[in-house]
Every structure is written in C-alpha cells, then in structure tokens.
Amino acid sequence: MRESGDGLLVQLYSKMRGEGLRPKTIVDYTREPFIYPAGNVRVTIDYDIRSGLWETDFLDPHCLTIPAGNEIILEVKWDAYLPSIIRSAVQLTDTRTTAFSKYQVCRRFG
C-alpha cells in the first residue's frame, strides 16, 4: 500500500501503521444503481450481502466471503424533491421500512 502511488492508499497505510487502525470485517455486496435526473434521485438495490468472516484483507481479490443474510435493500436518496413517479414506484406492499446496517449484519460473524 505504501508503494502504490495512490494517495488514498498511502494515507490509509499511514493511519494503519501510525494509529493501529485495523479492519474488523469485510462487507461485500452487489449493488444495482439507478439515477433519475429530476430531483437528482439515486435509487440503489443492494443484495447478496457477504461477510469476510475472519478475513480482513480487503485488497485481496480472492478473499473468501460467506452469506451474511438474505435481505434485499432498496434505498432512495434525493436532493431537492422526490418526484411523484419515483414516490409511487417505491411504495411497495408487503415490505417494511426500517434502518439497516450491512456492517452490523456482517460483524455478527466476527
């Protein structure tokens, strides 16, 4: 990381070495993003949430992960206003509205 030439990685490396920062778990998931320009609406669907268990090398592309749950998360963010067409589209029946932390779900394993 130190020799990567990427400023962000070098800064992370410095904090890890100097302040003892260490990853606790890996949170991996699949995200499908959608953008609706009016109101700058960002809709994301996150699923296949996976935890690295005791693996914490998030730079290892071969790191094994395990399923951390079967939730599908629909998140809607907007700036000035939420257009009625989007508001109607996300009013799903038989669903619940709640806070959800992918990190917390993955931390229950380690």
Side-chain angles (χ1 to χ4, degrees):
M1 290 171 57
R2 181 180 61 197
E3 307 298 330
S4 71
D6 182 316
L8 186 58
L9 281 178
V10 171
Q11 182 181 8
L12 176 60
Y13 175 83
S14 175
K15 288 188 177 283
M16 289 173 72
R17 290 293 182 208
E19 298 175 26
L21 297 181
R22 298 283 179 263
K24 295 290 187 181
T25 190
I26 292 175
V27 178
D28 189 22
Y29 54 93
T30 301
R31 169 168 282 176
E32 291 186 31
F34 304 91
I35 296 174
Y36 188 77
N40 192 26
V41 179
R42 288 95 55 209
V43 178
T44 57
I45 301 171
D46 296 341
Y47 58 94
D48 191 23
I49 301 167
R50 303 178 67 79
S51 172
L53 259 182
W54 300 280
E55 295 283 337
T56 57
D57 186 0
F58 57 91
L59 297 176
D60 178 4
H62 305 293
C63 175
L64 296 177
T65 59
I66 63 165
N70 61 356
E71 292 84 2
I72 298 173
I73 312 302
L74 173 70
E75 184 175 65
V76 181
K77 295 179 184 177
W78 66 93
D79 290 343
Y81 65 97
L82 182 62
S84 59
I85 190 168
I86 300 294
R87 184 181 308 274
S88 297
V90 298
Q91 295 300 320
L92 306 174
T93 58
D94 300 327
T95 61
R96 60 188 164 116
T97 301
T98 185
F100 184 84
S101 170
K102 293 180 282 286
Y103 176 76
Q104 183 273 329
V105 168
C106 291
R107 274 302 304 269
R108 71 178 168 203
F109 295 109

